[in-house]
Amino acid sequence: MTISIRHAALAALCLTLPAYAGAQGAPPAPPPLADYFVPATAAPKAPDADGFLQRWLLLEPIVKPNRSNTGFTEAYVRAAFAASLPQGPPMAVPRDGEAAKIAAAPRWHALDATRFDAKLFNLAQSLGKPVYGVIFWAVTVVEAPREMRGVRLAVGSNSASMWWVNGAEAAGLYGDRRMVMDDVLSRPLTLRKGRNVIRGAVINGPGLSDFCVRLLDANGQPIRDIVTTTK
Amino acid sequence: MKHTVLAALGLCFAAAPAAAQLAGEPFIHDPSTITLSDGKYYTFGTRGGGLVSDDCWTWHSGGERPGGGVAPDVIRIGDRFYVAYAVGGGGMNGGHASLVKVMWTRTLDPKSPAFGYHDVGVVASSDGVEGADAIDPAFLLADGRLWLSYGTYFGAIRMVELDPKTGGRLAGNQPVDVAIDMEATALLFRDGWYYLLGTHGTCCDGPNSSYNIRVGRSRTPTGPFVDHLGVPLLKGGGKLVVAGHGRHYGAGHFGLLDLGDGVEKMSMHYEADMDRSGRSVLAIEPLLWRDGWPVGGENLVAGTYEVQSERGGALQLAVDDTRIAFDARASFRAKPDAPVGPIANQTLAQDMASWPKGPTAVDLGDYMIRPHQQWTIAPAPGGGGAFGAPYYSIVIAGTSRALAVAGDDVVTVPAFTGAPEQLWRIDQLIDGTYRIAPKGAGGASPARALVAIGRSTAALVRFDPASPTGRWSFQRP
């Protein structure tokens, strides 16, 4: 979720008032990446207690200016994602540090979120990258101990996002979205025994980009007997 | 003649304002908690100034709040009115460095010699890069402790504790994150629960705003706050309280207006009043409580109703029933395969043939779908209102025979004229039923209301919130 501006009439006011920090001296340093992410390790990572997936390959933001999120219709979002990054084979996974093959050559980062959600805004902020008017891509690999039927991918994102499981489109969150856990659930899908690839993209204009993803079983309960990797 | 009157009434009803529409110039964004000071009600919004009203229905520009900035809140503690407001923050593409300041005055009436703000100072801040934006403060005084929530969609909603003696931040107190993805928060305390209300959705885009008010609750003021599904507000949860409806789009910035006697109202702004060029306006609507959760209520919608007492008994003209021609013995003896067909309800003409022409008493009876038991109720054009509810006319459907006050009695008079004694204040109670009181029966808490003092007798007496006898429901006839 974001806003065209919190108080539209205050646009001028915001421009004329000195920033609080600025009035105190040097601008404050942004929170360090470690407040939100730690580097992924070689060991597989289990979901958190509520089943949220915390290991992700996250691509540095791709600039896509949008002054407002109210234009995030399905058609717009779908086209924006398609144009932002060429997709390889459905089961392919980028490597940590690999540069995407687009003009700006953003890099992939293998990270573990320290919270239930992946705070993309803070990732970009800590890397000194653009935080507004951006598209983020995310990939994780879910290792399932057996075939699991009737599974639903449960997603919340700020703002719009789309998600694919093993190359098949699973969920779309359109419009000016705020991040709510279990906001949109996919239709029932099947996790293969072994390796499954979840891929997602999040677009934001002036909002605070983040997402949360978990997998729910046929009874709506979070699945925790899986692990995530980046391979 | 009768048809002419009815036609006029029909036109009036068609032109009646929406039930949530206040009078005057109620233009505001981010209204503070409505506060009574020196006999007038005040609310302040983003930027300076505010609105003032004598009756919480008609609002005009008024009040003075220096400091500018956004989204203030007001609380009265002892002989002081504390005002919290934010300077800075609330931006787009950045602009999240902000200060929440507090000041106090002994009156909100700028004409009073006691008026004058005293600065307390900064009680919360955000540096522009941390995950919070220190705007939209909201007070809560509970169990002698003063709490302040603040924040917006940029990061966390935070809670700090203030000193109720000074309005300043308690020494050593640290902010606690209590929610995300909210703004314009408000706090309530009821039956041992702390309620955190906040606004979700898109702001400030007129009829394209999706603003809606949500709530979570906690046993402690610093959380964890969860919604009715158990979803933490720190993970985006929030039970819906009220959203846009009718001609009003985008409900935001909750404030409690507790009138006592089991009547609670909520103030808010709507992002767009479509009957006022889509401008942001103040609204005051009923607040209900169900299963320990606040729920948005509704002013009575214009229509024709059976008016049923919670004691049991429908409000009616005290006239003789006219039988509907019917052979009960033949009906019972009819064979299953005997032909059936419709029988008309009793018509108004059939029923009213025996009615007195002058003022007529009312009483309570078993509802029998008779015209003398069916009331057309609608906001009275030009009749004003009080505390967010319009004054209503209550007439026998299809006539202009109006419910009216006659001294200590309640009667019907042959014609509705719009006189004050024919206007009624209908407030929804927190359980969803309604209180019916005559216009001018007092301020926030009317001195008398329509009460079923007997199984079949209604009278204007003091309303007892603990008794069902003064509660009414409106059923479609």
Side-chain angles (χ1 to χ4, degrees):
Chain A
M1 192 287 301
T2 188
I3 50 175
S4 51
I5 186 165
R6 175 66 182 81
H7 305 280
L10 288 182
L13 186 64
C14 294
L15 291 173
T16 55
L17 280 173
Y20 168 57
Q24 308 296 309
L33 181 63
D35 283 3
Y36 304 97
F37 296 98
V38 295
T41 63
K45 181 169 178 56
D48 77 0
D50 295 317
F52 288 103
L53 309 185
Q54 294 174 294
R55 175 157 296 174
W56 293 95
L57 280 152
L58 300 174
L59 184 63
E60 294 170 356
I62 299 168
V63 172
K64 176 65 175 173
N66 276 290
R67 287 196 56 79
S68 166
N69 289 349
T70 56
F72 288 160
T73 61
E74 178 177 348
Y76 179 87
V77 169
R78 194 176 287 278
F81 288 159
S84 68
L85 187 69
Q87 297 299 303
M91 302 305 285
V93 173
R95 295 187 312 278
D96 183 30
E98 178 182 331
K101 294 179 178 59
I102 56 177
R107 293 187 178 278
W108 290 91
H109 297 265
L111 298 168
D112 287 348
T114 57
R115 309 177 186 208
F116 80 104
D117 57 334
K119 292 197 174 294
L120 301 170
F121 179 95
N122 300 95
L123 169 69
Q125 186 184 52
S126 65
L127 295 174
K129 304 293 183 182
V131 294
Y132 299 116
V134 286
I135 291 173
F136 293 91
W137 282 88
V139 177
T140 193
V141 177
V142 173
E143 296 281 353
R146 61 191 175 281
E147 182 180 273
M148 297 180 176
R149 295 178 177 271
V151 172
R152 291 181 189 267
L153 184 76
V155 185
S157 68
N158 185 344
S159 187
S161 65
M162 292 182 68
W163 299 85
W164 296 261
V165 176
N166 295 332
E169 187 176 319
L173 290 71
Y174 308 111
D176 186 7
R177 291 272 174 175
R178 52 184 296 280
M179 210 271 307
V180 178
M181 62 178 278
D182 302 343
D183 187 8
V184 169
L185 271 63
S186 71
R187 290 191 174 85
L189 52 83
T190 299
L191 287 186
R192 304 167 182 168
K193 179 180 179 181
R195 189 169 178 269
N196 297 268
V197 175
I198 298 176
R199 185 184 308 273
V202 177
I203 185 169
N204 218 318
L208 196 71
S209 302
D210 65 344
F211 70 85
C212 64
V213 170
R214 63 178 180 169
L215 294 160
L216 304 178
D217 66 19
N219 296 317
Q221 298 303 306
I223 298 174
R224 297 197 61 238
D225 60 339
I226 53 177
V227 293
T228 50
T229 74
T230 56
K231 296 179 181 175
Chain B
M1 176 63 185
K2 185 175 72 181
H3 291 128
T4 305
V5 172
L6 290 178
L9 274 175
L11 286 173
C12 291
F13 293 157
Q21 200 167 45
L22 301 176
E25 304 82 42
F27 304 114
I28 197 167
H29 201 270
D30 308 308
S32 63
T33 303
I34 292 173
T35 305
L36 177 65
S37 175
D38 298 286
K40 294 181 183 295
Y41 293 88
Y42 292 84
T43 181
F44 302 99
T46 284
R47 297 188 288 174
L51 301 174
V52 62
S53 175
D54 293 324
D55 55 12
C56 283
W57 177 257
T58 302
W59 293 86
H60 302 292
S61 292
E64 291 182 14
R65 182 185 67 81
V70 301
D73 195 24
V74 181
I75 190 171
R76 179 174 186 170
I77 302 176
D79 64 351
R80 290 183 176 185
F81 295 88
Y82 287 98
V83 178
Y85 62 104
V87 177
M92 177 180 66
N93 295 316
H96 304 296
S98 187
L99 306 174
V100 175
K101 296 182 173 181
V102 171
M103 57 187 175
W104 64 267
T105 174
R106 294 196 191 281
T107 174
L108 298 176
D109 180 0
K111 296 176 182 173
S112 167
F115 179 78
Y117 283 103
H118 305 264
D119 189 40
V120 173
V122 175
V123 297
S125 66
S126 55
D127 64 13
V129 295
E130 64 185 297
D133 191 342
I135 66 168
D136 293 6
F139 289 115
L140 173 70
L141 182 67
D143 284 342
R145 298 173 72 177
L146 183 59
W147 302 93
L148 184 94
S149 62
Y150 63 92
T152 182
Y153 77 94
F154 185 83
I157 301 299
R158 289 180 167 168
M159 190 81 75
V160 293
E161 186 171 6
L162 308 183
D163 182 346
K165 294 186 179 66
T166 66
R169 180 88 161 265
L170 277 186
N173 175 256
Q174 294 297 316
V176 177
D177 291 352
V178 291
I180 59 169
D181 281 324
M182 275 186 161
E183 51 197 56
T185 58
L187 298 165
L188 303 177
F189 181 65
R190 189 177 197 268
D191 294 338
W193 288 101
Y194 292 84
Y195 293 86
L196 174 63
L197 298 97
T199 310
H200 286 190
T202 304
C203 167
C204 311
D205 197 9
N208 299 304
S209 305
S210 60
Y211 247 22
N212 59 93
I213 296 174
R214 304 264 170 170
V215 64
R217 69 181 186 181
S218 167
R219 285 294 188 188
T220 69
T222 52
F225 289 90
V226 299
D227 67 15
H228 61 314
L229 298 175
V231 179
L233 268 57
L234 278 168
K235 291 183 176 175
K239 182 181 187 299
L240 182 66
V241 178
V242 62
H245 54 95
R247 298 281 289 166
H248 292 91
Y249 290 57
H253 225 120
F254 177 96
L256 175 67
L257 182 59
D258 187 349
L259 302 185
D261 281 353
V263 179
E264 296 184 16
K265 302 289 178 87
M266 56 180 171
S267 63
M268 71 197 98
H269 76 250
Y270 282 108
E271 291 287 331
D273 179 341
M274 301 300 273
D275 293 323
R276 285 181 166 118
S277 302
R279 292 178 68 179
S280 178
V281 296
L282 178 69
I284 302 172
E285 297 182 10
L287 182 68
L288 317 184
W289 286 90
R290 289 189 180 138
D291 301 324
W293 291 97
V295 178
E298 185 176 43
N299 284 335
L300 186 66
V301 175
T304 295
Y305 296 98
E306 163 200 355
V307 182
Q308 186 68 247
S309 165
E310 289 292 290
R311 183 165 190 160
L315 185 70
Q316 60 183 15
L317 285 185
V319 295
D320 290 336
D321 280 331
T322 300
R323 283 187 56 79
I324 295 175
F326 186 73
D327 186 340
R329 292 183 61 175
S331 178
F332 280 117
R333 289 175 178 171
K335 294 179 178 176
D337 58 352
V340 296
I343 296 176
N345 283 342
Q346 187 171 83
T347 66
L348 175 63
Q350 291 166 339
D351 192 10
M352 71 188 303
S354 62
W355 296 358
K357 301 302 179 191
T360 304
V362 294
D363 63 9
L364 304 174
D366 296 329
Y367 185 65
M368 294 175 63
I369 311 102
R370 296 299 200 264
H372 69 272
Q373 298 177 311
Q374 296 173 10
W375 303 86
T376 295
I377 305 174
F387 300 94
Y391 288 125
Y392 291 87
S393 61
I394 304 176
V395 302
I396 290 290
T399 79
S400 63
R401 176 171 286 278
L403 195 69
V405 177
D408 292 331
D409 212 355
V410 57
V411 298
T412 63
V413 294
F416 177 73
T417 63
E421 62 270 20
Q422 299 177 9
L423 299 180
W424 297 87
R425 175 177 163 186
I426 302 176
D427 288 307
Q428 194 170 27
L429 299 156
I430 57 174
D431 69 352
T433 62
Y434 291 83
R435 179 183 64 193
I436 305 172
K439 178 181 179 180
S445 185
R448 56 183 184 164
L450 190 66
V451 173
I453 58 171
R455 167 65 177 77
S456 301
T457 303
L460 295 174
V461 299
R462 173 71 192 165
F463 176 77
D464 178 2
S467 169
T469 57
R471 301 180 201 153
W472 302 84
S473 60
F474 299 87
Q475 324 280 344
R476 289 292 183 183

